[in-house]
Amino acid sequence: MTTRRQFVSDASMGLLGLAALPAFVGRADGTGLVYDPRYLDHVLPLRQGEVHPERPLRLVRMMEVFAERGLDQEVVDLALAADPMSAIRAHHTSEHVESVRGIEVSGRVAELAVAGALGAVDAVAEGRVRNAFCASRPPGHHANNTGREEGFCFYSNAAVAARHAQTVHGFQRVLIIDWDYHHGNATQNAFYDDPSVLFFSTHDWQAYPGTGDPSLTGEGDGTGLNINVHLDCGTRDVQMLRAWDSKLLSAAAAFRPDFIIVSAGFDSRQDDLLGCFDLTDDAFRRMTRTAMDLAEDYTGGRLVSLLEGGYNVEGNALAAAAHLETLLS
Ligand SMILES: [Zn+2]
């Protein structure tokens, strides 16, 4: 982490970071985990003879690996927010919400995924834990307002959580880091002209949904606060980490977030069914550590991570475990 250390040694950046901390929030310890067995109830329609890659087994195996490593004993179990609908309605159109609510079972589970994200934001914002991971599904970063599932997503979990952090807890500037293999198009769209959210996404923009052009940097007051980094098929740890060092760290220093949300998609890991990057679990450890370092510098450690993609059942579980182990460290 030499680059990180060099970055921190810049005295002016360090002072700015300290000045950014709201004085009213105390120092919290511990890592929260959001999980609810109802997340397994959502099953996407199968193509003939195929198992849908966004399947309940992703979470089943993840929770098994957490237990095998004893992580379930180390985390603080967090409750889902009781009523996510006002936050969902504040972000999505009523047409979209009513349409999704009409989808049997999955519409309700999509609400519970948002409820998990809000519960994690509440716990971190209120200082009950320092950071949190949501082992939730369905994912969210492709969910616009089309009235239907897009890219396995129904509600824009990260965007709704960011707004909740701002409107309910008074945070001013939210950094959203999206390391999923796919571009977080709905997150970009939500904040494209918004100066209160810095969005950083690494992805393969040849892949679904075909967005994420690096030349798109935001507009109006949000100009410069949308950072798209394209990475080629075969991307390895060093290329990903270099992108973080060269594009994220200076932008975060200038932005001075007071809350961090991670769209944690593990389809950027090697051997994914839908992705073609070659990241090892160590990359997820190091990205997590860097995100935590940013949180230490600017947000009093406050960081909420939300599961997005990840379709190799074993690989997804191992990378998520590496992520959670680092959050706990
Ligand atoms: Zn993805």
Side-chain angles (χ1 to χ4, degrees), residues 99-246:
S99 178
V100 170
R101 295 197 99 188
I103 304 170
E104 204 173 335
V105 182
S106 295
R108 175 63 183 148
V109 180
E111 293 172 16
L112 297 174
V114 175
L118 300 182
V121 169
D122 289 343
V124 169
E126 292 163 9
R128 285 181 274 134
V129 291
R130 180 177 53 152
N131 56 37
F133 175 63
C134 296
S136 55
R137 55 184 294 277
H141 69 161
H142 301 308
N144 291 295
N145 284 304
T146 56
R148 57 179 176 79
E149 170 250 322
E150 279 187 278
F152 319 153
C153 303
F154 295 82
Y155 294 127
S156 192
N157 303 331
V160 175
R163 275 290 180 246
H164 179 77
Q166 293 180 326
T167 58
V168 172
H169 297 289
F171 293 104
Q172 310 275 312
R173 294 176 306 281
V174 181
L175 165 62
I176 303 177
I177 299 171
D178 188 327
W179 69 51
D180 190 279
Y181 167 73
H182 303 96
H183 180 231
N185 58 317
T187 314
Q188 169 181 287
N189 295 344
F191 305 115
Y192 199 63
D193 62 355
D194 188 331
S196 73
V197 175
L198 171 61
F199 180 54
F200 173 79
S201 177
T202 52
H203 51 266
D204 177 358
W205 78 304
Q206 308 297 328
Y208 178 91
T211 57
D213 182 341
S215 73
L216 297 178
T217 61
E219 65 185 15
D221 292 341
T223 300
L225 299 180
N226 189 83
I227 303 173
N228 287 327
V229 179
H230 164 76
L231 296 168
D232 288 321
C233 243
T235 283
R236 305 181 66 142
D237 295 8
V238 63
Q239 285 127 3
M240 172 63 89
L241 297 169
R242 196 179 291 146
W244 278 53
D245 285 347
S246 64

Side-chain angles (χ1 to χ4, degrees), residues 66-78:
F66 289 176
E68 287 165 7
R69 297 191 185 185
L71 304 179
D72 57 330
Q73 302 301 309
E74 295 185 49
V75 296
V76 177
D77 291 320
L78 299 179

Side-chain angles (χ1 to χ4, degrees), residues 2 6-7 65 108-109 121 128 143 151 154 159 208 215 229 249 267 291 301-302 306 310 312 314 328:
T2 307
Q6 287 166 346
F7 166 71
V65 171
R108 175 63 183 148
V109 180
V121 169
R128 285 181 274 134
F154 295 82
Y208 178 91
S215 73
V229 179
L249 299 185
D267 45 9
R302 287 183 295 267
L306 312 175
N312 178 318
E314 192 67 17
L328 279 158

Side-chain angles (χ1 to χ4, degrees), residues 34-82:
V34 169
Y35 173 75
D36 190 302
R38 289 173 292 178
Y39 289 149
L40 307 181
D41 295 342
H42 157 63
V43 179
L44 283 165
L46 304 183
R47 287 163 284 204
Q48 189 71 35
E50 293 181 16
V51 176
H52 197 290
E54 208 291 272
R55 51 182 161 159
L57 189 59
R58 297 174 62 225
L59 285 190
V60 172
R61 184 60 190 142
M62 184 181 292
M63 298 306 288
E64 284 177 357
V65 171
F66 289 176
E68 287 165 7
R69 297 191 185 185
L71 304 179
D72 57 330
Q73 302 301 309
E74 295 185 49
V75 296
V76 177
D77 291 320
L78 299 179
L80 280 60

